[in-house]
């Protein structure tokens, strides 16, 4: 309107207002979903160089009316903003440890590992170490089978605190993977300081590496660097045979992606995945 001249300050534009409202509605719905325990975990398989199953990544799913799933890409950021990632992440950890206990009780699946995503806000909770150790104890699992996936956002805060916390858990046997590697801003000197077991090449580089010289260079650099640092390397987002072959050729050790298997509820896993497990 004409009255709203250049100097009128409106706090929210209609678009912003809609976004704020959507955020508030999602927060309320998330809270209710947590109370009602409707979240699910899907499991995406991870394979080694000779094609055997070595583990899985646990990925949260939020089923809503009509059989639809809200994507974690939509609800995880809201859960992080509101702090609901703390109880949600606690549920994910507990559920993952329960699944590990079931695998460890079976001769054919004893060696499988399970990767769990941990948000910065969850990792920096004062009782995070206790949360992890009590989940492991509650289910009586071998800690070395649990792999915590951290993104570079976790180390943006206090690097000394981060290293100390990781070291504490690593002493217990828990493993760490650096997720979405190459997309953040952390320097290589940080990488050297972090007590890591694995680096995960981000899917954006895997997607482009065969058509884009820059992505190819990054992938090769990550593979070379991981080798010299003695870190295991896994590629995510492997969608084609050509990508798989290229990564194999250049020494990548672990593979995850739609080519090999999409995230699924465990009950929907094809039998041959578990049959291929080393034991
Ligand atoms: P992420 O940790 O990078 O997980 C990989 C994402 O890539 C997953 O999306 C997975 O389904 C998808 N993906 C796997 N293979 C392929 C492929 O070959 N091609 C393509 N295009 N995509 C592939 P998803 O399950 O939608 O999860 C999205 C993000 O949400 C995750 O990204 C992670 O950052 C977050 N997230 C999921 N579950 C949790 C959780 O329990 N806790 C926390 N903190 N974050 C979670
Ligand atoms: Ca991940
Ligand atoms: Ca990732
Ligand atoms: Ca990602």
């Amino acid at each position: 309107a004409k009255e709203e001249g250049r100097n009128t300050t409106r706090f929210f534009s209609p678009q912003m207002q809609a976004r704020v409202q959507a955020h508030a509605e999602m927060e309320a719905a998330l809270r209710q979903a947590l109370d009602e325990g409707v979240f699910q975990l899907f499991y995406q398989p991870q394979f080694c160089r000779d094609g055997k199953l070595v583990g899985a990544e646990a990925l949260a799913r939020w089923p809503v009316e009509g059989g639809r799933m809200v994507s974690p890409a939509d609800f995880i950021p809201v859960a992080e903003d509101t702090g609901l990632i703390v109880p949600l992440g606690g549920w994910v950890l507990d559920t993952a440890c329960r699944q590990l206990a079931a695998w460890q009780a079976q001769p054919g699946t004893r060696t499988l590992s399970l990767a769990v995503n941990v948000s910065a806000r969850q990792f920096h909770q004062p009782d995070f170490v206790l949360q992890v150790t009590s989940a492991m104890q509650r289910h009586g699992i071998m800690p070395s089978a649990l792999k915590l996936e951290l993104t570079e956002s976790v180390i943006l805060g206090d690097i000394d605190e981060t290293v100390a916390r990781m070291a504490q858990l690593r002493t217990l046997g828990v493993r760490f993977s650096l997720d979405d590697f190459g997309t953040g801003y952390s320097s290589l000197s940080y990488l050297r300081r972090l007590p890591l077991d694995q680096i995960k090449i981000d899917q954006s580089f895997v997607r482009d590496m065969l058509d884009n010289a820059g992505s190819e260079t990054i992938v090769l650099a990550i593979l070379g660097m991981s080798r010299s640092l003695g870190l295991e390397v896994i590629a995510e987002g492997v969608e084609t045979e050509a990508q798989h072959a290229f990564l194999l050729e250049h020494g990548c050790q672990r593979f995850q992606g739609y080519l090999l298997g999409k995230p699924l509820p465990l009950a929907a896993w094809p039998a041959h995945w578990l049959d291929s497990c080393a034991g």
Side-chain angles (χ1 to χ4, degrees):
K2 194 102 203 228
E3 300 83 332
E4 290 182 346
R6 283 174 165 276
N7 299 320
T8 313
T9 310
R10 288 168 78 199
F11 194 59
F12 291 135
S13 69
Q15 294 95 315
M16 279 173 76
Q17 213 155 5
R19 279 188 46 207
V20 167
Q21 174 140 13
H23 191 281
E25 278 167 15
M26 168 114 37
E27 177 180 356
L30 259 177
R31 223 175 264 286
Q32 189 182 351
L34 265 170
D35 280 349
E36 293 172 353
V38 302
F39 286 94
Q40 293 179 17
L41 278 190
F42 277 27
Y43 298 85
Q44 185 172 31
Q46 299 177 334
F47 297 92
C48 64
R49 292 178 61 82
D50 60 10
K52 290 190 176 112
L53 180 77
V54 289
E57 177 177 5
L59 293 156
R61 291 290 181 268
W62 182 9
V64 291
E65 268 110 273
R68 212 169 55 81
M69 292 278 179
V70 184
S71 165
D74 293 325
F75 70 82
I76 295 288
V78 178
E80 285 171 342
D81 284 354
T82 56
L84 290 171
I85 194 67
V86 175
L88 178 58
W91 174 83
V92 171
L93 260 174
D94 184 73
T95 307
C97 288
R98 177 175 306 119
Q99 184 52 51
L100 273 174
W103 278 341
Q104 290 177 1
Q106 293 289 325
T109 52
R110 265 192 228 295
T111 59
L112 291 177
S113 68
L114 192 49
V116 169
N117 294 286
V118 176
S119 290
R121 189 154 174 184
Q122 184 189 1
F123 181 85
H124 291 294
Q125 291 292 302
D127 65 346
F128 179 69
V129 173
L130 183 65
Q131 234 195 75
V132 176
T133 48
S134 40
M136 294 191 303
Q137 276 164 10
R138 198 155 49 239
H139 298 286
I141 63 152
M142 211 166 28
S144 59
L146 181 65
K147 189 170 278 144
L148 301 181
E149 291 198 0
L150 307 180
T151 59
E152 290 167 81
S153 66
V154 165
I155 47 174
L156 283 183
D158 184 341
I159 176 94
D160 293 322
E161 193 224 279
T162 302
V163 169
R165 193 161 284 209
M166 288 174 72
Q168 228 178 323
L169 283 163
R170 211 146 168 271
T171 302
L172 300 169
V174 174
R175 308 278 166 94
F176 284 96
S177 180
L178 191 56
D179 200 1
D180 300 347
F181 186 69
T183 62
Y185 300 94
S186 61
S187 72
L188 293 177
S189 66
Y190 276 10
L191 187 65
R192 198 172 48 84
R193 286 193 58 195
L194 295 175
L196 290 168
D197 299 281
Q198 184 187 71
I199 286 181
K200 202 165 197 181
I201 306 176
D202 188 65
Q203 54 184 282
S204 60
F205 302 121
V206 175
R207 191 199 309 121
D208 297 345
M209 69 187 179
L210 298 182
D211 325 298
N212 178 302
S215 294
E216 179 186 321
T217 303
I218 292 172
V219 168
L220 294 177
I222 297 174
L223 288 168
M225 191 190 62
S226 309
R227 197 175 305 122
S228 38
L229 290 171
L231 296 171
E232 183 179 277
V233 61
I234 182 169
E236 71 177 358
V238 180
E239 292 185 351
T240 68
E241 295 285 3
Q243 290 165 349
H244 191 207
F246 180 88
L247 290 161
L248 269 170
E249 184 192 339
H250 292 95
C252 188
Q253 292 154 302
R254 301 271 187 269
F255 308 87
Q256 180 182 343
Y258 293 169
L259 173 71
L260 306 161
K262 292 195 170 181
L264 289 173
L266 222 51
W269 269 32
H272 69 265
W273 291 355
L274 286 169
D275 289 346
S276 81
C277 174

